[in-house]
Every structure is written in C-alpha cells, then in structure tokens.
Amino acid sequence: MEKRKVFHRRSLIRAVSFAAAVMVALSAAAISGYAAARKNRNAMEYSYQRALSELNEYVSNITVALDKGKYAATPKQLQSLSGKLWRETGSAKSALSQLPVAGEEMAATYKFLSQLGSFCVTLSNRVADGGSITEEEAALFRQLSQYAEEVSDRLALMESQVENGSLELGEVQAAMQTTGDAPAERISGLDEGFREMEEGFEDYPTLIYDGPFSDHVLQQRSKLLDGMEEMGMEPALALAEKLTGVSGLRYAGETGGNLPCHRFETDGFTVSMTKAGGALDYFLNSREIGEATLTPGQAQSLAVKALSRYLEGEFKPSYYSINGGVLTANFAAVQDDVTLYPDLVKVGVAMDTGDIVSYDGRGYLMNHTVRSLPAPSLSREQARETVSPLLSVTGEGLAVVPGDGLSEKLCYEFACTGEEGENVLVYIDVQTGMEEQILILLEDEGGTLVI
C-alpha cells in the first residue's frame, strides 16, 4: 500500500511538472508571437507614418511653389516652378497611394494632384512662347494655391495627431485586415482627416489645359548604377553588415521599381542594398531617442565623419533639420568646386548618443555621374545683374541644379537677403542668364528648411 502511495505521489508530481512545462512553453510561444506581431505592427506603423510625412512634405512644397511668384523675374522662372510642381505632385500621389485609404475615396485629391502640375506647365510654356496668362487663369492660379494650403494644413494636423499618439495609422490597417472594415472609433482621425480634405474639393474648378500629365520624371533609372553587375543576396547581406556595423541581419525581401534592392532587418533596424552595384540605398534604426546631449554642430560633425564610411568623393554640407531628437544633415556632391545639388545624401544623427540612425543615398545613386560642365558664357557680374532688385547678394558660387523634366543646368548660385530679411538662393543659368531656381531658407532652432 505504501509503495502505491509513493508511486501515486511521483506520478502526480510528474503530471504537475509536465503541465507546468507546457504552460511555460505556451507562455513563451505567446510572448514570442506577441513580440513578433508587435514588431510587425511597429514596422507597418512606421511605413504609414513615413508615407504621411512625405505626403505632407510634398504638398507643403507645392504650396510654397504656388506662392513663390513674387521673386520670379522672368518667364523662365515660372517654367522652372511649374516643373517643380510637376515633380512634387507626382511624388505626392505616390505617397498617398501608400496610406491605408481606398483610392476611390480619394478621387478628388488624386485629380487635384494629377492636374495641377500639368496645368501650370502649360501656362508657363505659353508665356515662354510670347503668350500671356488671362485674368481668369490668374484667379484660378490663386484658387489652386488656396486649395493646396488647405490640404497642407489638414495633413499637418494629421501628422501632429500621429506624433502625439492620438492617431495610429497601423491600427486602421490591422482592423481592416481582420474585419474587412475598420470600426469607426479606430479610423475616426484618419477617416475624418481625409474626408474633410476630400470634401474641400467640392467646389474645385475644372482645369482646361492642353498638356498631358506624365510621370516620366519618376521613371528615370540610376545614372550611377545603370549597367553595373548585379549583386546577390548573400554578398549584399555581408556588405550591409560591414557598412552599418549591425550584425545578425535577416533577409526581408526585395523591392522593385527603378532602383531594385535587397532588404535586410533585425530588431528595429532596416537596411536596403541595391542589386546593381551593391550600393547602400538607405538604412533606419527606429529605436527610441532620448534627451539631446549634443549640439547641432557636434551632430553635424558626426554626420560628416559617417558619410566618409558610406561614400567616396567630395561633399558639401547643405542644410539640416532636427525632428524627434534626430538631426538630419544634407550633403551635395562636389565636382571641380561646383556643387551638384541633384546628388543629395542624407545622414541622420541621434542627438542623445551621436549614433547614426538613418541614411538615405537615393538622390546620389539616382543622379550622380561625372558631368561635362560647359564654360560659362556670362560673367558672374553679368549674371548678378539679372537678380531681382528686391534681393541683396551676399555670396556666390557655381552649382548644378535640376532643370525641366530630367535636365540639369549649370548656374551661378547667389546667396541673397530678401525684403523681410529672409535668406534666398537664386540660380542664374551660366549660358542664358535666365533664372533657373529660387530657394528660400527658413532658419530656426530646428534647423534650416529649404523651400
């Protein structure tokens, strides 16, 4: 009898131990599954946040371009601004398509973005050919500017709601994937924001123009990498770990489009390597950023040092911005003392520790090539005379800037001061003396914004 009691007690102990082990295993699996799901939600949320931020930036650029006419002194400058509108509206549509809203629900917004750039290009071409803008078209132009400003304000509000946590874009998509239709309380912020933006186009005028809309600017191939041998996944992974200093990266798929890439990731870190040539496309460390301990100058110095690890060649610091505790420094490539503004690189520095937490080399990869630069037909003195009398020149140099479509222009770059003390950059074509670009620099404690 005593032996049966001992046996029963041992069996009970084994059963309890087995049950406990099963519970631990199930708990571990649940925790692991929760962590993986949380990671996926965070990645999805970040992708939506990035798309919303980019959309806000593009629409803001559109608003500025529509308002910038007061410093334009030639028909050529109007044409240049129209080319910028064409590019920015195409990019804005691309960003809008990445957000968790149905395309048919945003028909008016898509129409506005699609037609705006082409309409303005048509008007500028007519002026360049000796024609003029009618009073009705001028009034329509001002109306378009008001629409763009209203859209920009709505997007800025939504982005602010995302930043303070009252609007989570990923929650909308997750609910829609689960139920097929997100509950009203889950999508109220996003739905209301875009619905109000869409309703703002109820009185949107019909644009009559003779120029077709085209996305060809977004279809260009990489000048630097086109024709290079393709790098496989494994060597791209090894190179990604070497360049970023991050080990344990896992293959996360590939991207297509005009710059196909391999993507790799690990906890909170994503990196993209181009297939052609195996170049570093971008990386992002999405860790939380603590309180700043570095000055902007110190962070910029770290960005300069880091850039030399990723790319060879000469670069000129352009401007910087500070957002969420990260200083993003912009650099333009330099050739023979000429600044190449299309060849732009961005490096993000965490101002709490000085870590490099982001890198974006797409502008450089898409546009960089050795240019055959023409000899100027105009002297700097002659070019300076074409600058608006409302501006006071404070500095000058040579720079390559984007022209219409996919073209580029070699220009004299004049740093100026405007009527209200703002800093303005004016670019005069070295061959024709025409204004090619006007940039306004907005400077505050958050950095220098170029518009």
Side-chain angles (χ1 to χ4, degrees):
M1 178 68 71
E2 188 66 29
K3 288 183 179 180
R4 275 200 289 261
K5 289 183 179 180
V6 172
F7 177 76
H8 178 71
R9 188 164 53 250
R10 289 177 178 175
S11 298
L12 180 61
I13 292 173
R14 282 197 295 269
V16 171
S17 299
F18 178 75
V22 170
M23 292 180 63
V24 170
L26 291 175
S27 299
I31 293 173
S32 177
Y34 173 78
R38 181 180 179 84
K39 178 182 176 182
N40 290 334
R41 286 197 300 270
N42 289 341
M44 181 171 57
E45 178 70 19
Y46 171 75
S47 68
Y48 291 146
Q49 289 178 10
R50 180 175 180 179
L52 179 62
S53 178
E54 289 177 348
L55 176 60
N56 187 17
E57 180 181 356
Y58 293 136
V59 174
S60 179
N61 292 342
I62 290 169
T63 304
V64 170
L66 289 170
D67 289 338
K68 202 183 283 186
K70 67 178 182 179
Y71 287 133
T74 65
K76 182 65 176 178
Q77 178 57 29
L78 176 60
Q79 190 174 38
S80 178
L81 290 175
S82 297
K84 179 177 178 62
L85 282 167
W86 195 350
R87 293 189 294 270
E88 296 292 345
T89 51
S91 298
K93 285 205 308 174
S94 177
L96 180 58
S97 68
Q98 299 173 43
L99 289 169
V101 288
E104 61 272 14
E105 296 175 0
M106 303 303 299
T109 305
Y110 269 98
K111 175 184 174 182
F112 171 72
L113 294 172
S114 296
Q115 292 187 339
L116 176 60
S118 188
F119 174 70
C120 295
V121 167
T122 299
L123 294 184
S124 67
N125 287 340
R126 186 199 305 164
V127 172
D129 291 337
S132 61
I133 298 177
T134 66
E135 292 184 4
E136 181 180 358
E137 288 169 339
L140 182 57
F141 203 92
R142 290 191 293 271
Q143 190 176 358
L144 293 173
S145 178
Q146 293 175 356
Y147 275 107
E149 186 172 356
E150 290 172 4
V151 172
S152 181
D153 290 344
R154 173 54 56 183
L155 290 171
L157 176 60
M158 283 191 284
E159 189 171 8
S160 176
Q161 291 172 332
V162 169
E163 291 175 353
N164 64 31
S166 61
L167 173 61
E168 293 189 20
L169 303 175
E171 288 296 312
V172 176
Q173 182 70 4
M176 292 180 68
Q177 289 176 343
T178 302
T179 67
D181 186 21
E185 66 273 13
R186 301 281 290 278
I187 68 171
S188 58
L190 183 71
D191 187 54
E192 179 184 352
F194 279 109
R195 185 187 301 115
E196 290 184 9
M197 191 167 75
E198 190 76 355
E199 290 174 352
F201 289 104
E202 288 183 354
D203 299 323
Y204 176 66
T206 300
L207 299 182
I208 305 301
Y209 57 92
D210 55 9
F213 179 78
S214 172
D215 285 327
H216 81 278
V217 172
L218 303 178
Q219 304 300 321
Q220 71 179 72
R221 298 176 63 85
S222 169
K223 295 179 181 178
L224 180 66
L225 305 176
D226 193 25
M228 285 192 176
E229 184 178 352
E230 187 168 303
M231 177 176 285
M233 185 272 288
E234 292 186 359
L237 171 59
L239 183 57
E241 291 187 336
K242 178 181 178 181
L243 290 175
T244 63
V246 176
S247 59
L249 291 172
R250 302 179 299 272
Y251 183 62
E254 57 185 48
T255 58
N258 53 1
L259 191 63
C261 293
H262 297 291
R263 287 194 306 109
F264 307 97
E265 64 181 27
T266 187
D267 297 335
F269 188 89
T270 302
V271 57
S272 174
M273 302 290 296
T274 66
K275 291 184 178 181
L280 179 60
D281 175 33
Y282 77 88
F283 68 75
L284 176 70
N285 185 340
S286 58
R287 72 167 175 84
E288 292 186 5
I289 308 298
E291 186 176 349
T293 62
L294 302 177
T295 65
Q298 290 172 325
Q300 283 181 293
S301 296
L302 291 172
V304 171
K305 184 177 180 181
L307 181 59
S308 64
R309 298 201 304 267
Y310 309 133
L311 288 173
E312 297 180 352
E314 183 180 358
F315 292 87
K316 171 186 174 181
S318 179
Y319 56 93
Y320 73 88
S321 61
I322 300 175
N323 186 29
V326 176
L327 181 144
T328 301
N330 293 260
F331 300 89
V334 176
Q335 176 184 321
D336 300 329
D337 295 326
V338 178
T339 305
L340 309 176
Y341 282 111
D343 305 6
L344 198 65
V345 183
K346 301 180 181 182
V347 179
V349 181
M351 298 189 69
D352 56 353
T353 62
D355 294 338
I356 307 301
V357 292
S358 68
Y359 171 85
D360 185 351
R362 180 159 295 227
Y364 180 84
L365 297 177
M366 295 301 294
N367 297 299
H368 186 65
T369 185
V370 177
R371 273 84 166 176
S372 179
L373 302 174
S377 297
L378 278 73
S379 67
R380 294 196 183 192
E381 291 73 19
Q382 291 173 316
R384 192 183 302 113
E385 292 176 359
T386 66
V387 175
S388 169
L390 299 178
L391 298 172
S392 300
V393 177
T394 59
E396 55 192 44
L398 280 171
V400 171
V401 300
D404 299 329
L406 300 179
S407 67
E408 295 180 341
K409 300 288 185 178
L410 177 61
C411 297
Y412 289 111
E413 178 184 49
F414 293 101
C416 309
T417 302
E419 284 186 306
E420 300 178 1
E422 69 271 44
N423 293 321
V424 181
L425 298 176
V426 178
Y427 297 88
I428 306 298
D429 192 310
V430 300
Q431 303 297 326
T432 65
M434 295 290 186
E435 290 174 312
E436 288 294 335
Q437 291 280 0
I438 296 176
L439 301 178
I440 302 175
L441 308 182
L442 304 181
E443 300 172 289
D444 59 22
E445 67 278 0
T448 302
L449 177 63
V450 181
I451 60 177

